[in-house]
Amino acid sequence: MNFYKSAAMALDHLDKHQGSVKGSLAAAGVTATGGEAKRILALTIETLKYRPIILQLIEKTTLQSIERLVFPRKTPRNSPSSQSLLLVLLHDLLFSSRLKIEASDKWPPKEAILRHQARLRAELVRIQIKEGKSRKEDLAKTSGDGEVVRYVRYNPNAGKALQELFDHLEGEKLGFERLTEPVYPVPQRKFFMDPHLDDVLLAFPGGSNWWLRDEWYEDGGVILQDKASCFPAKVLMEGWEEGEGECIDATAAPGNKTSYISALMQNRGKLHAFERSPNRYKTLERMLQKAHCTNVEAQRADFLDSNPNDQEYSNVTRILLDPSCSGSGIVNRLDYLIDDDTEESDSKAERLEKLAAFQLQMILHAFEFASAKRIVYSTCSIHPEEDERVVMSALKSPVAKERGWGLAPRNSVLSSWERRGRPEELGGDEDLANGVIRCLPEDKTNGFFVSCFVRDGTGLWPKTKSNPRSLKRPRNNDAEEDVEEERSKKLEEAEEESKEEGDGGEEAVVSGETKTKTPAQLERIRRKKAQQKAKKRKV
Ligand SMILES: C[S@@+](CC[C@H](N)C(=O)[O-])C[C@H]1O[C@@H](n2cnc3c(N)ncnc32)[C@H](O)[C@@H]1O
């Protein structure tokens, strides 16, 4: 395999799985050693630094579609994707010290690119001028880079209409123009409504720090919030109607998601907000006041200490869990990509393991709330240990089985968002993978993960030996009998499965929990099992 293909394969692997470049090279089957291995590693890392710029060049020149015979959309299984191959080749042509592609002139990918050389160089100069960079090297992305897009969320709680915000922006003083279609990077003095959150989220050029002095920001009429960080509240409140019940934000500070949930509740009803850190709790209080949230009841308390059976929470139907995580998705950190695998020490693995155990504990606690029917779990992490694997453990837990919690299908989890979960981290189950959302910096957001649990037969369950198809939402939502039947079937299967699995593996996490069941809970389980058996006999 030539070294361009090897580097492109590593980029593909990073795209899908994350991790370090060295790890990705090995996982992508790149077996080079010595000088060749170093060369591939350097090319991959350098390409990552210029990736956003090279992607712009590919888009502007429409190179990939003009040369689709050489760079097809779909490539054979053991070949790199056309986009990654283009990335590494364009890196060498435009940014390497020798400014050339080191391959035979007859190699079709090189020939194809050279046909567009003049246009590519001209577009690069245009980008440099627009970005105000006199040297090409200054276009490289480094740790500490600012954001690509400045997202601003309109906050209706402040009592002003969205149109007033547009008038403010388009007025003489600021002189912005509102675009009807997204353009990246967002041109100076332009903005548009984000296509995924088109009723609240405005996109501005990156680094628009003037906002911090703007009256709308100072009065809480807008909140500066990354796009991905808006998703959990949006997914949580899908289908919300006033009068449904109350909500909990279990890990609230600084309060960006809390204030968005409050806005989606139209600042009515009750939103309980927990925050256990004293200092962060003060920030939360300030933020809620600034954002005009009058329906939030904040408490400085540990969510895990709350009693799910307390009368206070008997009407809680929706819970947001955005617990502490490694923060590996935060955009300014390119360094995670260039981590040396040998430095991926035990302490990192141990830290992830501890975080994952805590995150799982939070979900299992939320599952206990009697009226809860929708729970969103999110992280700003790109590690499967904190994302899909935590979701899978939660789905396999006895409390999920006992209370009928499954994973919400894609159609209620921001279905228009393309990047979904990693099936290989979810037992190969494509439906489960489609049920969750992942975001990466190339989506012009922070790295992020969002999942949503639902109950009462409306969710997807992991495939098991006895349940080879994960359950999908029944077509007729009114067909309660069907739902009940499916649910009974699932409970039976779950019982059988937990017998099969014994105490091993993931079940061990949960065995402690079974021990801590109250007599009332055990009684409820016994009654449910008796009902299942009676039903089975009737059939
Ligand atoms: C990732 S931050 C939440 C960010 C917040 N959702 C937002 O969008 O602004 C996690 C927060 O949860 C708090 N936290 C962690 N564990 C908690 C627990 N068991 N109960 C309450 N708060 C907790 C942390 O102190 C931290 O402030």
Side-chain angles (χ1 to χ4, degrees), residues 193-199 227 231 234 414 416-418:
M193 294 308 285
D194 177 81
H196 295 97
L197 297 168
D198 60 2
D199 53 344
K227 173 172 172 170
F231 288 173
K234 179 78 179 166
L414 211 65
S416 61
W417 184 257
E418 285 304 323

Side-chain angles (χ1 to χ4, degrees), residues 250-257 275-276 280 301-303 322 324 358:
T251 49
N256 284 336
K257 297 181 188 75
E275 173 52 53
R276 73 174 176 192
R280 291 175 68 90
D302 191 319
F303 175 64
D322 183 41
S324 314
F358 153 72

Side-chain angles (χ1 to χ4, degrees), residues 309-457:
N309 298 316
D310 193 324
Q311 194 55 29
E312 176 68 9
Y313 307 119
S314 58
N315 290 326
V316 169
T317 55
R318 305 194 182 209
I319 302 176
L320 177 70
L321 301 166
D322 183 41
S324 314
C325 68
S326 64
S328 57
I330 308 294
V331 157
N332 304 3
R333 299 191 55 230
L334 185 71
D335 46 347
Y336 74 89
L337 290 171
I338 23 192
D339 270 356
D340 191 319
D341 262 7
T342 53
E343 284 160 23
E344 276 179 7
S345 58
D346 285 351
S347 66
K348 182 176 163 191
E350 265 169 35
R351 186 164 167 255
L352 285 182
E353 207 175 300
K354 275 193 196 136
L355 280 167
F358 153 72
Q359 290 151 351
L360 176 62
Q361 205 184 357
M362 295 289 273
I363 302 177
L364 299 186
H365 187 65
F367 279 172
E368 296 275 0
F369 283 71
S371 306
K373 58 180 193 180
R374 201 166 172 88
I375 295 173
V376 163
Y377 167 70
S378 58
T379 70
C380 53
S381 168
I382 48 161
H383 296 308
E385 289 89 336
E386 298 178 272
D387 299 343
E388 288 93 339
R389 288 187 208 166
V390 171
V391 166
M392 197 59 168
S393 300
L395 288 171
K396 284 179 165 181
S397 70
V399 64
K401 289 163 189 168
E402 176 206 317
R403 291 182 170 245
W405 285 103
L407 195 69
R410 180 171 179 153
N411 64 9
S412 79
V413 185
L414 211 65
S415 57
S416 61
W417 184 257
E418 285 304 323
R419 194 183 299 280
R420 313 304 291 195
R422 291 161 274 212
E424 66 279 16
E425 298 292 348
L426 289 159
D429 190 323
E430 295 281 345
D431 289 337
L432 289 178
N434 271 322
V436 305
I437 287 177
R438 281 191 312 130
C439 303
L440 290 177
E442 40 269 56
D443 302 323
K444 297 159 191 83
T445 68
N446 275 332
F448 215 82
F449 176 80
V450 187
S451 60
C452 178
F453 299 94
V454 289
R455 73 197 290 191
D456 295 332

Side-chain angles (χ1 to χ4, degrees), residues 484-510:
E484 191 43 48
E485 217 165 90
E486 288 282 15
R487 174 111 194 266
S488 307
K489 222 166 80 193
K490 279 192 307 188
L491 280 167
E492 278 164 27
E493 284 167 356
E495 268 176 50
E496 269 167 39
E497 194 197 328
S498 45
K499 268 185 236 146
E500 269 170 36
E501 283 173 347
D503 295 330
E506 264 132 0
E507 296 301 307
V509 177
V510 192

